[in-house]
Amino acid sequence: MREHVLVILPHPDDEAFGVAGLIAQKRKAGIPVTYACGTLGEMGRNMGNPLFANRETLPEIRKKELMDACAAMDIQDLRMLGLRDKTLEFEDDEQLADLFETIIDEVKPTLIVTFYPGHGVHPDHDACGAGVIRALRRKPIEKRPITYCMAITKNRFEVIGEPDVQINITDVADIKLNALKAHRSQTEGMLKAMEEKFLNKDPEVMHWFENEVYYTYKWND
Amino acid sequence: MKRIVPEDVQAYLDTFLNKSVYIHLETTTGSYSAHKDEKSMTVVAFIRNAKVKYQHAKITGNGPYRIGLKLDEGWIYAEGLTDWVYNDHNQLLTAGHNSEGQLAISFQISEKPFHN
């Protein structure tokens, strides 16, 4: 089967932090990657330092940053789903799943990456992951693509154990850094401190650029 | 946005008196506050495009500032406002940013609905 990766996440920058290395490696291998991004992060609090955004200009700024990040990772199929930041959990669950199912059926991915439902910390992360799982559950179990989930809760190891997938991304660390940098309104302050440490190979930040870890979603139906 | 000059904001508040206007009012600690510090609650309130009419409006305080709107049958107010802009869409945007420059509160008035 022809490989195709589908990343479904709610916020511009979720992909840069969690999946940029995996994406970059897949693209380097010539594998198509589709990124379905739920919102434009319209409700974010980081407005640039010094300030360059306000509540009404932020969506357009973040849209441009998202496109720049996709260019950095060589993603050629970006879908902006038009949901509003911080509202995913309040959407109708079936409709949210419908939205994801339409893309899944069109793209026919061999691998999906999303958040682990209940372990995303941000309500949008959980709702997004739950929506993807709900959409996949509508298919017979043997037709569901491999699904990698990111978990970031503090109690994840106790509840769901250790992640079973660890990908060394050191060969594409520069691409990941560029993807993070593209999300300027969200990452600029943090990266100023980080970049110097990155260049000095400071272990404190190197873990961001060494490995990405995922849980393969285990179906229990 | 620029630092609030109360007289300038007051002049724009008065232009919306007794008109049907759309309000955006939002305050947030950020969705990760409780994750970063268990002692810190995550608190967010968000209203966008509530349609109201106000008969009286005032900006007060010495900075950060407060803005209150007296409605025919109620009140709306916001505290902690530091910056403002009157944009090309004739919308009065005010916001409060914390010491790290992050948005903590946003209070906005427009005659047309805010883009959703």
Side-chain angles (χ1 to χ4, degrees):
Chain A
M1 199 198 275
R2 193 169 164 271
E3 259 193 89
H4 193 133
V5 178
L6 172 59
V7 178
I8 305 181
L9 298 169
H11 308 125
D13 93 347
D14 287 339
E15 86 297 333
F17 279 103
V19 206
L22 181 151
I23 291 171
Q25 288 180 346
K26 294 290 183 187
R27 290 300 303 130
K28 280 194 163 182
I31 295 159
V33 174
T34 297
Y35 177 25
C37 187
T39 77
L40 292 175
E42 300 88 340
M43 294 285 281
R45 291 187 307 148
N46 291 317
M47 297 297 190
N49 198 357
L51 283 185
F52 63 80
N54 64 51
R55 231 332 139 250
E56 300 308 310
T57 60
L58 195 64
E60 282 303 311
I61 290 168
R62 294 225 164 150
K63 187 179 187 176
K64 171 75 169 48
E65 292 172 348
L66 174 60
M67 293 192 297
D68 290 346
C70 285
M73 292 175 284
D74 193 31
I75 291 177
Q76 294 176 330
D77 183 18
L78 167 66
R79 314 284 177 97
M80 289 182 269
L81 304 186
L83 298 162
R84 177 168 255 278
D85 194 11
K86 288 194 187 172
T87 66
L88 267 63
E89 63 180 324
F90 305 117
E91 291 280 354
D92 179 90
D93 293 335
E94 296 296 336
Q95 280 182 18
L96 192 62
D98 290 346
L99 178 66
F100 298 149
E101 188 182 19
T102 305
I103 299 169
I104 293 166
D105 288 348
E106 185 210 318
V107 167
K108 296 184 179 55
T110 46
L111 172 66
I112 293 187
V113 186
T114 190
F115 276 104
Y116 203 116
H119 289 276
V121 176
H122 193 299
D124 281 343
H125 295 176
D126 285 335
C128 178
V132 172
I133 297 300
R134 184 182 289 265
L136 290 170
R137 223 182 256 288
R138 292 171 177 174
K139 299 181 191 311
I141 197 160
E142 67 278 5
K143 298 233 163 125
R144 297 173 198 161
I146 297 165
T147 303
Y148 285 176
C149 295
M150 296 188 279
I152 57 174
T153 47
K154 288 181 182 146
N155 68 352
R156 61 188 182 276
F157 302 117
E158 297 157 41
V159 181
I160 51 174
E162 294 290 330
D164 61 322
V165 179
Q166 176 166 320
I167 299 173
N168 182 307
I169 58 153
T170 45
D171 60 321
V172 289
D174 56 330
I175 296 177
K176 182 160 185 163
L177 180 64
N178 287 338
L180 283 164
K181 273 169 136 171
H183 293 290
R184 193 184 146 213
S185 67
Q186 311 198 65
T187 56
E188 199 165 43
M190 185 197 74
L191 283 178
K192 257 182 216 154
M194 212 188 219
E195 193 168 10
E196 196 173 335
K197 290 179 179 174
F198 177 67
L199 293 172
N200 294 329
K201 304 248 181 277
D202 186 325
E204 193 189 320
V205 303
M206 286 319 287
H207 76 97
W208 281 101
F209 302 101
E210 282 169 355
N211 293 298
E212 286 174 354
V213 299
Y214 307 96
Y215 293 81
T216 306
Y217 194 80
K218 305 275 192 313
W219 300 101
N220 56 5
D221 56 343
Chain B
M1 292 188 127
K2 55 206 170 199
R3 302 301 282 181
I4 284 178
V5 178
E7 298 73 25
D8 295 348
V9 174
Q10 184 67 54
Y12 280 106
L13 285 172
D14 291 340
T15 65
F16 295 107
L17 281 174
N18 298 309
K19 292 176 179 171
S20 277
V21 291
Y22 293 88
I23 300 291
H24 168 112
L25 177 58
E26 165 194 355
T27 178
T28 173
T29 58
S31 295
Y32 299 101
S33 347
H35 180 67
K36 289 178 185 156
D37 176 2
E38 283 168 21
K39 293 194 202 85
S40 168
M41 272 171 85
T42 297
V43 178
V44 182
F46 174 56
I47 299 173
R48 190 163 173 89
N49 288 332
K51 199 172 182 183
V52 303
K53 202 180 270 187
Y54 61 84
Q55 47 178 271
H56 182 64
K58 200 194 276 183
I59 180 164
T60 63
N62 301 310
Y65 298 91
R66 299 179 291 281
I67 290 176
L69 308 181
K70 187 170 190 181
L71 312 181
D72 291 345
E73 295 184 281
W75 287 92
I76 296 174
Y77 72 82
E79 171 152 14
L81 302 166
T82 55
D83 297 271
W84 79 295
V85 66
Y86 188 81
N87 70 15
D88 296 342
H89 305 289
N90 303 314
Q91 296 169 329
L92 175 63
L93 313 184
T94 69
H97 298 96
N98 67 18
S99 57
E100 289 158 21
Q102 294 173 312
L103 187 96
I105 185 165
S106 163
F107 186 32
Q108 309 182 155
I109 304 169
S110 171
E111 277 188 59
K112 289 186 179 152
F114 289 99
H115 184 263
N116 220 4

